[in-house]
Amino acid sequence: MAASASPPPDDEQPRLGLRERKKLKTRVAIREATYRLIAEQGYEATTVEQIAAAAEVSPSTVFRYFPTKEDIVLTDEFDPVMEAEIRARPADEPPLESVRAVLRHAVETILVDDPEEFAQRSKLMLEIPAVRARMTETMAETSLMLSRAVASRTGRQESDLEVLVFTASVLAALREVTIYWAGHGQKDDLAVLIDRALDSLKGGLAL
Amino acid sequence: MAASASPPPDDEQPRLGLRERKKLKTRVAIREATYRLIAEQGYEATTVEQIAAAAEVSPSTVFRYFPTKEDIVLTDEFDPVMEAEIRARPADEPPLESVRAVLRHAVETILVDDPEEFAQRSKLMLEIPAVRARMTETMAETSLMLSRAVASRTGRQESDLEVLVFTASVLAALREVTIYWAGHGQKDDLAVLIDRALDSLKGGLAL
DNA sequence: CCCCTTTTGAGAGTTACTGTCATTTGACAT
DNA sequence: ATGTCAAATGACAGTAACTCTCAAAAGGGG
């Protein structure tokens, strides 16, 4: 997927050390500065130097936290959660339906959690090729985890061509949905669009 | 897709002017130099400056011919041909089958045409994230053309979500096939793999 | 309060890519 | 051939995303 905001409900109440808390703050500061600057000036016009200045850290630090500029916008902590959720679905459920349930839940969470950030990210995905490309790269990792989960539930290898095609198609469809949604003023109901897309896959892409 | 080499069988015997012939030569020289250097030193270690030197042109010229370094490796002139071929398929054929026929033909052509280049490109797609990313970008354009063709043949809008999901899934599957093939020593029969992938889509991704 | 480890910032360097301008070179008419 | 014009090239300067290295600063534990 592509969400971020609050990482899954804090497992560790047990107090992060000051160090860790500061790191988290820096991370957030960088991201917020980035989103703000991009909203004001556009993506390409915003340099990492400006981001660093706005977040009050050095450029070095920005790169320590995010490997690329695109990652500042995209980073995503949902994969592990989704993996667990998929594994938790009933074993006899068709994989496509498991994915549907999990995605629906994920989307719901994101929209409650931080709708604006999600909206802005979707728009960037629509408009900035570099971001879309990086997003797709990120999806490659998601794809791996999804393949693992699907493989283990169906008793196939995760390198099985059919498994790979499954995950690649599902994620590609999800990406199209997101872009479609962003391209239509973000007015549609995401859950409905996801259902349509998955139904289309389920029906064998008959047009 | 992702092929290049000789552009579709020269429609114009009627003599390219010296100018055009020279341009073509330069294009080829740059690409050959690039492939050679990459084979020798790896992708990242090969700079555009080196490529320019090896092709005996200036760096400026390299960038005039190819917008990015990745494009030198990826550029692809097959889209228009494939678009025409799809439109030429019988109108009552299911789109997935039209795609199957055209892809099969395209793969055949490529493998006859310039198997080595195709092999090396696949390997780069597998190994170099930047190339894979750029490849995916390229696929976005292919996706557009495929959507146009499919839309016009099914009487849908090309912005129709189902059409978008169709093309995105097909191309994602094709990408997986290519990577799978490259990752397995390029020993399998590509046509067979494509069939398996498309069958999987046709069957509604039931696992 | 001191020591040790982690984090940070400063600075220098690389490389892909952009834009500009003067020079060259093919095309074409005379 | 020769002159003229447009297209292609090369030289150059500049930007911005990264990378590396090293010394200064700051948290944590005794």
Side-chain angles (χ1 to χ4, degrees), chain B residues 113-172:
Chain B
D113 216 38
D114 195 336
E116 275 153 53
E117 193 179 308
F118 182 70
Q120 198 175 356
R121 177 165 35 205
S122 305
K123 210 173 126 230
L124 288 174
M125 267 179 59
L126 178 69
E127 291 167 358
I128 313 291
V131 173
R132 190 170 49 227
R134 184 65 185 160
M135 166 67 189
T136 307
E137 271 302 286
T138 301
M139 259 181 35
E141 287 161 43
T142 305
S143 184
L144 238 112
M145 100 48 194
L146 190 55
S147 294
R148 267 199 309 272
V150 169
S152 99
R153 291 201 44 222
T154 56
R156 289 169 179 261
Q157 302 276 353
E158 63 187 74
S159 62
D160 183 290
L161 181 62
E162 276 73 20
V163 170
L164 294 171
V165 169
F166 175 91
T167 61
S169 303
V170 168
L171 291 177

Side-chain angles (χ1 to χ4, degrees), chain A residues 125-169:
Chain A
M125 267 178 60
L126 177 68
E127 291 168 358
I128 313 291
V131 173
R132 191 171 47 228
R134 185 65 186 159
M135 166 67 190
T136 307
E137 270 303 286
T138 301
M139 261 181 33
E141 287 160 45
T142 305
S143 185
L144 236 110
M145 98 54 193
L146 191 55
S147 293
R148 267 199 309 272
V150 169
S152 100
R153 293 201 42 223
T154 57
R156 290 169 179 260
Q157 303 276 355
E158 63 187 72
S159 62
D160 181 291
L161 182 61
E162 276 74 20
V163 170
L164 295 171
V165 168
F166 175 92
T167 61
S169 302

Side-chain angles (χ1 to χ4, degrees), chain A residues 6-147:
Chain A
S6 58
D10 268 11
D11 286 8
E12 39 265 307
Q13 297 286 10
R15 204 157 302 286
L16 267 353
L18 172 54
R19 218 163 208 166
E20 302 301 317
R21 266 179 287 150
K22 231 181 165 181
K23 278 213 289 194
L24 244 156
K25 256 195 189 166
T26 306
R27 238 189 135 69
V28 171
I30 293 174
R31 255 217 288 262
E32 283 180 352
T34 305
Y35 275 113
R36 211 193 61 234
L37 288 173
I38 289 182
E40 286 168 18
Q41 327 174 329
Y43 181 83
E44 339 241 273
T46 303
T47 75
V48 173
E49 225 172 316
Q50 293 174 338
I51 293 173
E56 303 192 286
V57 294
S58 75
S60 320
T61 300
V62 174
F63 285 114
R64 266 195 208 93
Y65 279 79
F66 301 93
T68 74
K69 188 177 155 191
E70 290 89 35
D71 281 297
I72 306 178
V73 171
L74 288 174
T75 314
D76 179 348
E77 292 95 1
F78 261 67
D79 280 18
V81 188
M82 285 188 33
E83 181 164 10
E85 286 191 17
I86 287 212
R87 287 180 194 279
R89 303 289 309 173
D92 58 337
E93 187 179 52
L96 204 57
E97 296 311 312
S98 305
V99 167
R100 191 192 300 260
V102 171
L103 279 185
R104 195 181 284 163
H105 180 232
V107 164
E108 212 173 279
T109 308
I110 295 168
L111 286 183
V112 169
D113 217 38
D114 195 338
E116 275 154 51
E117 192 179 310
F118 182 71
Q120 198 176 356
R121 177 166 34 206
S122 306
K123 211 174 124 230
L124 288 174
M125 267 178 60
L126 177 68
E127 291 168 358
I128 313 291
V131 173
R132 191 171 47 228
R134 185 65 186 159
M135 166 67 190
T136 307
E137 270 303 286
T138 301
M139 261 181 33
E141 287 160 45
T142 305
S143 185
L144 236 110
M145 98 54 193
L146 191 55
S147 293

